[in-house]
Amino acid sequence: MKPIVATTNDVSLAVCRLVLGIIFFAHGAQITLGWFGGFGFSGTMHFMTAQLGIPTIFAAISIVAQFLGGIGLIVGLLSRIAAFGIACVMLVAVIKVHLAVGFFMNWYGVQKGEGYEYHLLVLAICLLIIVKGAGALSIDQILSKEKK
């Protein structure tokens, strides 16, 4: 368990983790609870399974990874696992939806969807957290301290 929670007192890691956690908590709340104008769990499951053709179990794991992953990142608990789950979701999103649209987001409303530039940023932050850990102000940091 120690390698999973090991981290340093790095504040920059904490900032990246917190920002990513807040973003994915909000997004996860949309797709899980229907907050912030989202479709909730059943609406999201229908979209992922019927529209995107994602198997039910993987659609459910994706929803849970985004919601619980966001919470885990905010408090810094099992941050590497949370970041890995979010990274997997982003990779699938790029492959299944955004790669065909192109690199850029739909800033001017002229594309048939959103590009994958945002997803690359998320993947980079996830990679940072997977490699370096949660950083300062995290439960992982508390769990990783040596017991004397």
Side-chain angles (χ1 to χ4, degrees), residues 9 30 41 49-50 64 73 77 85 88 90 100 141:
N9 195 30
Q30 284 182 310
F41 188 83
T49 56
V64 169
L73 289 174
L77 178 61
C88 290
M90 291 295 100
Q141 183 189 26

Side-chain angles (χ1 to χ4, degrees), residues 3-78:
I4 293 173
V5 298
T7 191
T8 63
N9 195 30
D10 190 327
V11 175
S12 60
L13 283 172
V15 170
C16 288
R17 174 182 51 80
L18 283 168
V19 170
L20 188 62
I22 290 166
I23 289 168
F24 273 87
F25 170 76
H27 185 66
Q30 284 182 310
I31 64 176
T32 304
L33 306 173
W35 293 3
F36 312 116
F39 295 111
F41 188 83
S42 62
T44 304
M45 281 293 289
H46 177 71
F47 172 74
M48 289 180 152
T49 56
Q51 300 286 104
L52 299 179
I54 296 172
T56 303
I57 186 68
F58 293 122
I61 290 170
S62 168
I63 293 167
V64 169
Q66 292 174 76
F67 184 60
L68 294 182
I71 293 170
L73 289 174
I74 289 169
V75 299
L77 178 61
L78 303 176

Side-chain angles (χ1 to χ4, degrees), residues 4 13 16-18 20-21 24 62 64-74 76-91 119 121-134 140:
I4 293 173
L13 283 172
C16 288
R17 174 182 51 80
L18 283 168
L20 188 62
F24 273 87
S62 168
V64 169
Q66 292 174 76
F67 184 60
L68 294 182
I71 293 170
L73 289 174
I74 289 169
L77 178 61
L78 303 176
S79 299
R80 284 184 167 94
I81 294 170
F84 179 75
I86 290 170
C88 290
V89 170
M90 291 295 100
L91 281 171
H119 303 80
L121 288 171
V122 170
L123 285 166
I125 295 169
C126 285
L127 180 62
L128 175 69
I129 295 166
I130 291 166
V131 171
K132 301 293 259 177
D140 286 353

